[in-house]
Amino acid sequence: MTRDLVNDICKAQPGAEWSDPWGGGHDAWKVGGKMFACIGVSNDGVSVKTPSIEDAQLLIEMGRAIKAPYFHRSWVRVDWDTLDEAELRDRIETSYQLVFSGLTKKLQKEISGA
């Protein structure tokens, strides 16, 4: 997997916006101003939100992820060289849905066009 593939998956999400909030080459993907994915400068994985701290811990224990540095404990960093594309896509899309569902109903409507 590559940074380009992760960025393609992220930008395909409705209302997704890219930024580099800390400078230096981070790719932070947001929906409604809230981050759902972040690629660091080390260029070897993507940090994503999980449904809970317990889910994050399970992924870590299974060796599917590590704790995402500098993020809440419900976030993990997945190494894109250890996951296949389908699992990587699922992790990113799940993170997006978690963040999107936390937005106001009004903002959700604006983004989805419904």
Side-chain angles (χ1 to χ4, degrees):
M1 305 300 140
T2 65
R3 183 182 203 108
D4 289 338
L5 174 62
V6 171
N7 282 330
D8 287 345
I9 294 168
C10 290
K11 80 174 142 193
Q13 305 309 306
E17 298 176 334
W18 174 90
S19 70
D20 184 2
W22 306 286
H26 293 83
D27 289 334
W29 288 93
K30 299 177 181 181
V31 60
K34 307 283 185 182
M35 191 178 323
F36 69 89
C38 183
I39 304 170
V41 295
S42 61
N43 201 34
D44 58 358
V46 58
S47 295
V48 293
K49 185 175 180 62
T50 66
S52 68
I53 294 169
E54 294 79 16
D55 286 305
Q57 189 60 41
L58 181 61
L59 288 170
I60 292 166
E61 289 172 7
M62 292 172 51
R64 306 307 290 164
I66 63 169
K67 183 190 176 318
Y70 313 109
F71 286 87
H72 184 268
R73 293 186 305 151
S74 63
W75 282 69
V76 294
R77 188 179 70 76
V78 292
D79 181 343
W80 55 55
D81 287 333
T82 61
L83 300 183
D84 63 29
E85 184 176 340
E87 186 175 352
L88 180 66
R89 183 177 300 277
D90 181 61
R91 298 272 173 251
I92 293 169
E93 290 173 352
T94 297
S95 182
Y96 170 86
Q97 286 300 323
L98 289 166
V99 173
F100 181 82
S101 68
L103 300 176
T104 65
K105 298 296 179 195
K106 179 181 177 185
L107 191 50
Q108 288 179 15
K109 275 183 148 181
E110 288 175 18
I111 292 167
S112 67

